[in-house]
């Protein structure tokens, strides 16, 4: 499913939801953005895992070898790059 990482590719921002929290943390550390998107078997985004999400999962008893789906946020908001800033802020305020 995953291709080798290439410079500028999206691969540095995604993990399979079945990968380990360790792998998610590695990508989070390497991409310097503080998050990764979790994908299901079909390649759809099903969650977002931030550095804080993974840390909380570990503090709640999950192991570093637990799967990403145990420590990701399934309730996330997304927008197109053309979405007006005001619309994004309004959506965030409402949730």
């Amino acid at each position: 499913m995953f291709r080798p990482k290439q410079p500028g590719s999206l691969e540095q921002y995604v993990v399979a939801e079945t990968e380990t929290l360790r792998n998610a943390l590695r990508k989070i550390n390497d991409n310097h953005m503080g998050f990764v998107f979790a994908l299901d078997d079909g390649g759809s985004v099903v969650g977002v895992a931030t550095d804080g999400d993974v840390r909380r999962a570990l503090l709640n008893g999950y192991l570093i070898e637990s799967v990403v789906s145990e420590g990701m946020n399934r309730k996330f908001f997304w927008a197109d790059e053309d979405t007006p800033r005001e619309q994004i802020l309004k959506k965030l305020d409402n949730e």
Side-chain angles (χ1 to χ4, degrees):
M1 176 175 158
F2 291 102
R3 294 179 309 275
K5 180 179 166 184
Q6 298 179 12
S9 75
L10 292 177
E11 296 302 317
Q12 60 189 323
Y13 301 102
V14 298
V15 295
E17 66 178 328
T18 56
E19 286 187 54
T20 64
L21 292 173
R22 179 186 308 275
N23 289 344
L25 277 177
R26 278 193 183 115
K27 284 198 176 185
I28 290 169
N29 188 63
D30 291 346
N31 72 29
H32 301 286
M33 294 298 290
F35 71 91
V36 288
F37 295 108
L39 307 179
D40 65 12
D41 290 338
S44 296
V45 176
V46 293
V48 177
T50 66
D51 182 69
D53 293 329
V54 175
R55 220 172 339 108
R56 279 185 290 282
L58 295 172
L59 289 171
N60 286 327
Y62 289 100
L63 302 174
I64 194 75
E65 298 304 323
S66 297
V67 293
V68 171
S69 61
E70 301 290 351
M72 70 184 191
N73 180 358
R74 291 184 185 273
K75 295 180 181 181
F76 60 94
F77 168 73
W78 66 273
D80 293 327
E81 63 181 301
D82 298 330
T83 304
R85 182 177 185 272
E86 295 78 23
Q87 187 177 349
I88 293 170
L89 292 173
K90 183 177 180 181
K91 178 73 173 173
L92 292 173
D93 282 344
N94 291 334
E95 297 196 19

